[in-house]
Amino acid sequence: MCAVRGVYGYRDAVKVLGGQQNPVVTALDRLLGGALLVASPVLPGALALFDAKAELVRLSHELVAAVPRGGRRRRQDRTRQLEAAHAVLTVVAFFEAVAEARLPFPATALELRRAEQDELARRLLVDPAVGPLAEPDRESNLAALGRHYEDVAGALRRFVAGLSVWDGLDERQRAAFEAALVALPDRAVARYVELLDRLAVEFPEVARWLGRAEADGVRRELGRIGSALEGLESRLAEIAGGGAPDERRAALARAYRAALERPVLDSEETDVGFVVPSLRAAYVDPRFRAAEAGPGRPPSEESWWAPLPVREDLDDFLTGYLTSSRATAAPLLVLGQPGSGKSKLTQVLPARLPATDFLPVRVPLRDVPAVDDVQQQIEAAIRSATGESLSWPELVRSAGDALPVVLLDGFDELLQATGVSQSDYLARVRDFQRREADQGRPVAVLVTSRTAVADRARIPDGSVVLRLEPFSDEQVARWLAAWNEANAAVFAARGVAGLDAATALRYPELAGQPLLLIMLAIYDADTNALQGNASALSRNDLYERLLTRFARRQVTTLQPSLAGRDLDQAVEQELQRLSMAALAMFNRGGVWVTSADLDKDLAALAPAPRSVAPQSFQAPLSQADLTIGRFFFVHRSSARHDQERIETYEFLHATFGEFLIARYVWQIAGTLTALDRVARDSPLGGGTLDDGLLHAVLSFAPLTFRKPIVEFLCDRAAGTADRQDRTDLLVRLFRAAHVRRPERSYADYEPVAVGVPRRHAAYTANLVLLAVIAAGELPVSRLFDDPERTIDLWHRETLLWRSQLDNLGEWTGFVFTFAARRVWEEHRDLVLSIDADRTFRPARIDVRWTYQRRMRPDEVMTNASQQARRLLRKANFICGPNEDVMGTIVEPFDDEGHGLNTFLHDDGIPYSLARLAIDEAITRPLPGSIPRPNDR
């Protein structure tokens, strides 16, 4: 029987619904001359299929009506029957549409050849008409069904056109027949929708497959919309048909139900004295988007998700998905940002699945061996949850009618810990599902991962990908209501108010993520620090206060005796070490860093941390653990690999790291400026300033690669008093970087191995960026000590940057960070400023500025021809995409006229539309702010 992922042809669907001994099937078999039961169906007689369509429709309706509405049944059997009923309806809809079409001749007038009869029977009764009902986008199913009906109608059109009856039709009858066939697919689709609507009314699963909420208001029955998947539990309970669970299934169910009553966060993650709501009370069903994975569709890119609608019916979606055969064919991949609620979903979902129909098993991938196969990982998780060692086949066999649902939480942690060795993990999950289905043990699998690493693994075709979306305003308000209710007594004792939604929503990038919203609530709970400001804090000020607050909590937890200036210094040290962690990620080109790499970086940049004695038999903490291992806004990923636990760290929101990088870099520049000022004021005179630390952290990647870093730097510069001194220092450091220097300090810091040219390019580019930010506007002439050669020297510098910075991101990002304005005073110059919105549009290029003199139009054209030949030859040699594109643009200026858009003028001179435009442009005065060198 052909039943892949719930896709049936009519022939196979009838078998699923009635079996070969069912009276309806027997009648259909007689009606169609065995077409249902033979491999190559044959329809004897004059178009017997259409002659018998009324009887076929009647018997098909009886077959669908015989699907049991209640009683005890295996979940998989009920799913197969409903999907088979759906397949039958696709055929019924076509025949009923044909009956309404009113063809201009009787069916008995058609005498199809045997091959034609076979083809029509295959198209209508054997080939699946449409994919599974449980599609992320129902429109894709309707479109596929319309194409199927068009295919059958087209075949019928070709057959009829070759028959003698066609020759006997007049033009009016032929036109009527053509019009009937053109309208047939739409008419059949409309009839299919009507039939499916009836089926959805009788079977709740079908309604969920279609993505519909029930009209009776069950979705609102508890008065709390989308809370801890209560809707999922109630819907599945309505259609449950399995038996009571045995003790093993009941033990797992008890363990998962207990998780709903535990605090949504561990107590060590929050301040003492606050009441953390339970998972049941605090969990808000997230919004999401969903789509089917396919080749060439990377779900880590925003453009992939943008066209898809944001949905708020997660309970309906999961009900439909878990009751469809799609769930047992490939894994459901759940993506989201750190702190978006992926893991919490895998805690809530198994607690809500009725134990009569489902056997959930949650597998935290950080706690099971990374090298084991999927079955071994599941068995390790079962032992952890129940304390009992069970083999997977043994557990599934004991489950009886229940459908196993495996939740693999933290695939991204597996990737980060073991790298590319896990890139085929999702394919192995799909293969595991196929093997289990072959053994009569179908299993649904859900896998969670961070969105950013999703494209590092091969996603099997046919998998559904679901991305969790940020909270809506209403969801923020609902979560805060639960938090404030749980802490009402605490707030009253402290004399503070609970955080209101309006205040939290001033910071949407934080309030939209559940874990970051908790952070805002905890921060405000002490003194109403957020509510005490009439307007929103700047992002720079907010992050400074947030991170300082949590760093202070970390320090006082480890060293409660610290106070005053000592405490402030310890807090600052913590923030600086967090900044080094952010740089460890940034300079490696990622958003996370392993514990081993971070330890290496900290050893090179910072002294050993304060000593913390290990407790009992615990191993001493590493520098990475002491630095960021227990900070609220840091996500720790963990996996076991070769008997070793490998850990990685990342910030809950990327802008935390970007803020810390900007903060640290600006501090280093400020410290160097202060030291330089002291040295210059010293009677002994200034010595060589050691910029080793600044060079170490800024010589691996341009800061412009992350736009928020530049924004944070600009915010910090706005409140800085010594901007002129900083500009002077940064300019001198830029100049000094181009001459031979003694060995710098911090030479051991090397997060990645790169060559000297790359490090020099990154460092000098970053110095220019900082100098422009400090100055506000910076003439390029300040960077060099030869005014007459300023532009030539600048050109050389930009070529170095371009050669060493990645052209796809780093170089382009660097260029687009600046507004560059050409001026002419005593000499040519270029004035740089920060283009925060990246909206700068350069003035029209004036070649008189380029060549430093007034030029006649004929000189411009002559020079353009010469430069075109040179550029074309260079482009041919360099083989770079930018050069090749520029070559095609300037090709028409080549006197020999090789360009495709070049033509010969009447006088035989090669010309083009581009040259005509240049002729017109250079004869007009050019607008702009550049003074004209008319007297030069």
Side-chain angles (χ1 to χ4, degrees), residues 699 754-764 800-801 803-805:
S699 59
V754 297
V756 173
R758 160 73 182 196
R759 293 196 64 178
H760 175 80
Y763 184 49
T764 53
L800 172 67
W801 293 333
S803 70
Q804 297 301 311
L805 304 182

Side-chain angles (χ1 to χ4, degrees), residues 240 244 336 379 823:
E379 291 170 348
V823 298

Side-chain angles (χ1 to χ4, degrees), residues 219-233:
R219 185 170 177 78
R220 302 295 189 269
E221 63 184 354
L222 298 175
R224 294 168 60 198
I225 305 169
S227 182
L229 293 180
E230 289 172 318
L232 172 70
E233 185 174 21

Side-chain angles (χ1 to χ4, degrees), residues 819-864:
R821 183 167 50 89
R822 295 184 178 190
V823 298
W824 186 301
E825 294 177 356
E826 291 300 321
H827 305 280
R828 290 183 303 162
D829 210 340
L830 189 69
V831 178
L832 301 178
S833 58
I834 299 298
D835 180 25
D837 299 326
R838 299 193 175 185
T839 57
F840 170 73
R841 297 191 65 179
R844 184 182 300 170
I845 292 177
D846 185 350
V847 292
R848 291 167 287 189
W849 182 91
T850 306
Y851 293 104
Q852 308 180 64
R853 63 188 179 89
R854 184 185 181 92
M855 300 180 71
R856 299 188 308 275
D858 61 322
E859 290 182 292
V860 174
M861 296 307 301
T862 300
N863 189 275

Side-chain angles (χ1 to χ4, degrees), residues 178-188:
E178 294 283 3
L181 288 187
V182 168
L184 183 60
D186 288 343
R187 188 188 299 273

